Amino acid sequence: MVDTRPVFRRWAVVAGVTVAAVLAASGPAVAGPVLPGAPPATVTLQPAGAVREVPTDFFGVNGARIISPENAEQWHDPVFRQALAGVDAGLIRVQGGTTSQWIDWRTGRFIQRPGGEFPGQNEGRNPILLSDWADVVRATGATPIFDLNVLTSTVDEQIAMLHEAQRLGMDVRYVELGNELWDPGPYYRQVYPTGADYARTMNEWIVRLRQEFPDIKIGVSGADDSSIVTTALGPRIQTWNAGLYANIRGADAVVLHPYWTPDPVQADIGSTAAGGVAAWNGFADKAIGGVPAGMEVWITEYNQINIPFGEIPGFPPQLISGVPQTWAVGLSVAGFALSSLTDPRVRMSVLHAAIDGLPSARSRAANGNEEIHALLADGSGGSIEYGRTALNEALTPIYTRGREGGTVQRITADGAPEVTVALGTPLGITRVTSIVGAEFLGDHPGAFLVNLGDQPVHVRMPDGLSGTLTADTLNAPPLSNPAFTPSDHVTETRTEVTGEATLPPYSLTQLTPR
């Protein structure tokens, strides 16, 4: 989502709406006080909701960022590929998001034409060819999701690309028909004026694709209408899904890209740590709730995003600073990931992005580590090249367990302390339970429990976790930013628990039977 300058157009509009709204609000959003020496709250964990089967390729990473010459070169580096493999993602999105709509797959170069989104971006950039993506797929062991170029290419050319991908050893299992075609940019509006126009054209693509690849799974580009972006960007995006759903034929899934932004004025650490769960609740209710029955939901981008206020002409940079890559952000993303895991409507959950984007004067698409946080640092901003970020630390154990598949169910913790969350998008102030969890059932039981709050919580295990368990807990100060501050690290501790355990503040715990 944040790979191109159209995103700047989107977020510049949202920034204005958000700032006006939050400045009009009254009172900070803060968690309740913790009394010194008070014992931790005690709650009983309970399974809730549907039990769902989890495919081994549920979690993944978007193949971004790839724009700047420096970042593009890193995708050729075997050390980077090895570091990315360490995340244990089951899926990788080939050619990224918006970049995929402007790349000539035969040359790996950005298509240059009037109204294009990457003018001059080929200069000094080592192209990433399809053979390079095959190397990444082999190194990571991930299944590719091919984001087909439906904006500046043809169905014949994209079918030829898929055949070449097969020749290179890549599994052609999942394809997306474009990326965020509801984008407000003039070129997008010209090619696909409405969601209905997009659907009718994609119906022809779907027929051709199934003729060539009968077993292929196909996702179409929907809009996350749970966000303030929907209102801020006008009627085209507001009516996109209705036109798409009424006219699409033969697609397996709708692709949605939920992003959330902590309120830049009122948010505190709690808003950052619990923002992912708060965003999920609204997204699941509205955006997923509106998907037609029988269609899967593919989340092929998601993350916390910080509105790049500093790029808005005339905006005083000292008024609102960027949010650094912190452990609190990692927990926020972990909470969202576990929420998506336990929702049977969701087939895949793919984080944007693999590596942070190097700031570049030539491209607003590469505006540094403060806008959005990735799994690996790129060496800019004083970071450690290919260093494991807070998101990496929080997601890797979840991704690794996800690669085993199995059955899973949501865990609730009624009576646990709540966290007040102030978000800029989706706009609002809400409260969420500080404990979010997922329990694996069957032959390989276990669980993940995340404490998003600033208080320890003592939990009694559900019946399925009644025996002696190994508890591996990741913990760090919420404002620590590993890979960017040399002295900041995430600590892992291992204990044995039976029947109950205490979850430290701002922690992620994995439970496995002895």
Side-chain angles (χ1 to χ4, degrees), residues 87-257:
V87 180
D88 220 3
L91 296 166
I92 186 162
R93 194 169 179 233
V94 171
Q95 294 186 328
T98 307
T99 47
S100 68
Q101 305 306 287
W102 296 93
I103 287 179
D104 181 342
W105 74 267
R106 296 185 185 273
T107 66
R109 294 169 62 85
F110 292 115
I111 295 168
Q112 303 294 298
R113 63 176 59 176
E117 300 299 345
F118 298 94
Q121 292 297 308
N122 291 319
E123 181 182 350
R125 178 180 178 272
N126 187 6
I128 304 174
L129 301 172
L130 201 59
S131 57
D132 298 315
W133 287 107
D135 289 339
V136 172
V137 167
R138 277 191 291 272
T140 59
T143 300
I145 309 166
F146 294 96
D147 195 354
L148 301 190
N149 181 353
V150 305
L151 189 69
T152 59
S153 186
T154 66
V155 65
D156 288 335
E157 268 296 283
Q158 295 301 289
I159 286 174
M161 180 190 74
L162 294 175
H163 281 301
E164 177 63 11
Q166 280 188 326
R167 189 190 70 81
L168 291 168
M170 287 190 276
D171 186 8
V172 178
R173 187 183 309 175
Y174 307 113
V175 298
E176 287 182 58
L177 298 182
N179 178 82
E180 298 178 359
L181 281 308
W182 47 262
D183 187 291
Y187 200 97
Y188 293 79
R189 296 198 308 267
Q190 175 186 338
V191 178
Y192 300 113
T194 68
D197 295 315
Y198 165 72
R200 285 188 283 266
T201 301
M202 292 305 100
N203 288 340
E204 299 173 6
W205 282 59
I206 290 169
V207 172
R208 290 290 311 282
L209 286 164
R210 294 208 187 280
Q211 288 172 348
E212 298 288 331
F213 307 96
D215 297 326
I216 203 168
K217 297 295 185 182
I218 300 172
V220 292
S221 179
D224 174 13
D225 54 8
S226 68
S227 169
I228 190 175
V229 174
T230 306
T231 302
L233 296 181
R236 181 168 172 269
I237 187 174
Q238 294 171 25
T239 61
W240 182 270
N241 286 350
L244 170 64
Y245 296 153
N247 291 278
I248 197 67
R249 301 290 182 269
D252 298 290
V254 61
V255 178
L256 298 172
H257 292 168

Side-chain angles (χ1 to χ4, degrees), residues 389-450:
T389 66
L391 272 67
N392 188 315
E393 297 275 6
L395 288 181
T396 294
I398 298 173
Y399 275 29
T400 298
R401 178 59 185 87
R403 290 294 289 268
E404 299 179 24
T407 56
V408 70
Q409 189 175 20
R410 180 168 58 95
I411 290 177
T412 60
D414 293 342
E418 292 186 326
V419 182
T420 302
V421 181
L423 294 180
T425 177
L427 183 64
I429 299 176
T430 187
R431 294 179 70 83
V432 300
T433 303
S434 60
I435 305 300
V436 59
E439 180 181 1
F440 285 86
L441 310 171
D443 295 337
H444 302 283
F448 286 96
L449 301 172
V450 182

Side-chain angles (χ1 to χ4, degrees), residues 274-358:
V277 172
W280 169 264
N281 291 340
F283 170 72
D285 180 55
K286 185 171 184 181
I288 297 182
V291 174
M295 292 189 80
E296 298 175 339
V297 174
W298 294 1
I299 301 172
T300 61
E301 292 184 28
Y302 77 93
N303 207 327
Q304 174 179 303
I305 187 169
N306 299 311
I307 298 175
F309 292 103
E311 294 189 6
I312 301 173
F315 194 90
Q318 72 278 6
L319 182 60
I320 300 176
S321 59
V323 178
Q325 166 76 272
T326 65
W327 178 239
V329 179
L331 293 176
S332 177
V333 169
F336 188 97
L338 291 174
S339 297
S340 68
L341 177 70
T342 57
D343 193 314
R345 299 169 293 182
V346 179
R347 170 56 184 80
M348 61 181 66
S349 183
V350 176
L351 181 81
H352 177 88
I355 191 164
D356 278 312
L358 189 77

